[in-house]
Amino acid sequence: MKIFCTGASGYIGGSVAAHLIVAGHQVTGLVRSPEKAEAVRARGVQPLLGTLDDREILAQAAQAADVVVNAASADHRGAVESLLGALAGSGKPFIHTSGSSIVGTRAKGQRSDAIFDEDTPVTPSPARMARVALNEFILSHRDKGCRPVIICPSLIYGRGLGAGPDSVQVPLLINLAKKRGNAAHAGPGENIWSNVHIDDLVTLYALAIEKAPAGSFYFAENGESSMREACEAINRMLGFAGPPTAMSMQEAAAEWGEGTAEDTMASNSRVRAKRARDELGWQPRARSLIDEIEHGCYRE
């Protein structure tokens, strides 16, 4: 099949593109610069120069493809409108990438026991209301002659398969530990995120392309860990003695920015990928987050 992928030079999009190329598909990837174009071309992706604001470029690429994978931004409504408008009436799949911070709770590093699957009602924080509204807009297009599907990953880890090798949270924690000589979490670090290995996530995209019904929404996870547990593993991996440090929220905001500190590094996001397993037969098999930190790509 001919697949058009936004975010093709990034961590998720690049990994999905690489997986689909190995499976025998032709992938065209949206990139923003000649440098990124060369990076994806070297990995078998046909580059298309443009941005998410280039509505005509997006529409033409979507119409020329059999499948569209939107992995550049979970929040860019203009790009979604362009792509879905081009796909209306075609019956083609549109696979959109969201993120499980839509169920996140600003907890300043404290634990929450709230767990969500695809049937659990969501009341998003103000920071994620627009993303939830965009998800609803996307799924409404199941009645407009295309096949919209949303994949909503939790914390992603592991080495990327394409031009973008690094995820967000784990490298932030490792880089901070190297800077300080000790791993550090925001607040007590009891906050928990579900997580999923990039190798397992790309197989979910392939399954969604193959057989997800129109209007489907899937969380993606295969376990969970607290930020403190991740930091303890980082200390063991780096050979740092003693427990990790508990930063104040002010310190965390100074390191990562207030939004990242509050809505990602100190929040809870606990989800269960019930539908992906039940409806698509998704079977994640990659090593756990803690094992990957201690013995996998992060040690290397």
Side-chain angles (χ1 to χ4, degrees), residues 205-230:
Y205 277 80
L207 287 168
I209 290 170
E210 177 188 353
K211 57 184 179 181
S216 297
F217 178 98
Y218 301 105
F219 282 124
E221 60 73 37
N222 189 37
E224 61 179 22
S225 299
S226 70
M227 288 296 178
R228 181 194 294 164
E229 289 171 329

Side-chain angles (χ1 to χ4, degrees), residues 132-213:
V132 171
L134 181 59
N135 288 349
E136 292 171 353
F137 172 76
I138 291 167
L139 297 182
S140 74
H141 280 67
R142 60 184 172 271
D143 302 321
K144 298 185 179 181
C146 59
R147 183 155 65 91
V149 176
I150 292 176
I151 295 178
C152 191
S154 47
L155 183 155
I156 313 171
Y157 63 96
R159 179 175 288 120
L161 308 177
D166 294 325
S167 61
V168 177
Q169 291 100 325
V170 176
L172 283 178
L173 291 171
I174 292 174
N175 290 338
L176 182 59
K178 290 178 178 178
K179 172 183 170 182
R180 298 171 62 112
N182 186 37
H185 43 71
E190 295 171 354
N191 57 306
I192 296 172
W193 270 70
S194 298
N195 48 63
V196 61
H197 198 290
I198 188 66
D199 291 353
D200 288 326
L201 182 61
V202 297
T203 67
L204 180 54
Y205 277 80
L207 287 168
I209 290 170
E210 177 188 353
K211 57 184 179 181

Side-chain angles (χ1 to χ4, degrees), residues 36-163:
K36 291 183 183 296
E38 289 306 312
V40 303
R41 185 182 284 113
R43 291 164 173 81
V45 177
Q46 178 61 42
L48 175 65
L49 279 172
T51 73
L52 295 179
D53 295 315
D54 293 323
R55 290 188 172 233
E56 187 173 341
I57 290 174
L58 294 178
Q60 291 176 352
Q63 289 169 348
D66 301 310
V67 178
V68 173
V69 175
N70 187 29
S73 170
D75 302 305
H76 198 295
R77 190 179 184 96
V80 166
E81 290 174 347
S82 300
L83 294 166
L84 285 174
L87 295 177
S90 69
K92 295 176 183 178
F94 174 76
I95 314 299
H96 177 75
T97 308
S98 187
S100 74
S101 63
I102 60 170
V103 303
T105 57
R106 282 194 168 194
K108 301 187 185 302
Q110 300 286 348
R111 172 191 173 113
S112 169
D113 290 324
I115 297 175
F116 298 80
D117 64 24
E118 294 89 349
D119 298 315
T120 309
V122 174
T123 303
S125 69
R128 293 294 180 262
M129 290 179 67
R131 181 176 296 181
V132 171
L134 181 59
N135 288 349
E136 292 171 353
F137 172 76
I138 291 167
L139 297 182
S140 74
H141 280 67
R142 60 184 172 271
D143 302 321
K144 298 185 179 181
C146 59
R147 183 155 65 91
V149 176
I150 292 176
I151 295 178
C152 191
S154 47
L155 183 155
I156 313 171
Y157 63 96
R159 179 175 288 120
L161 308 177

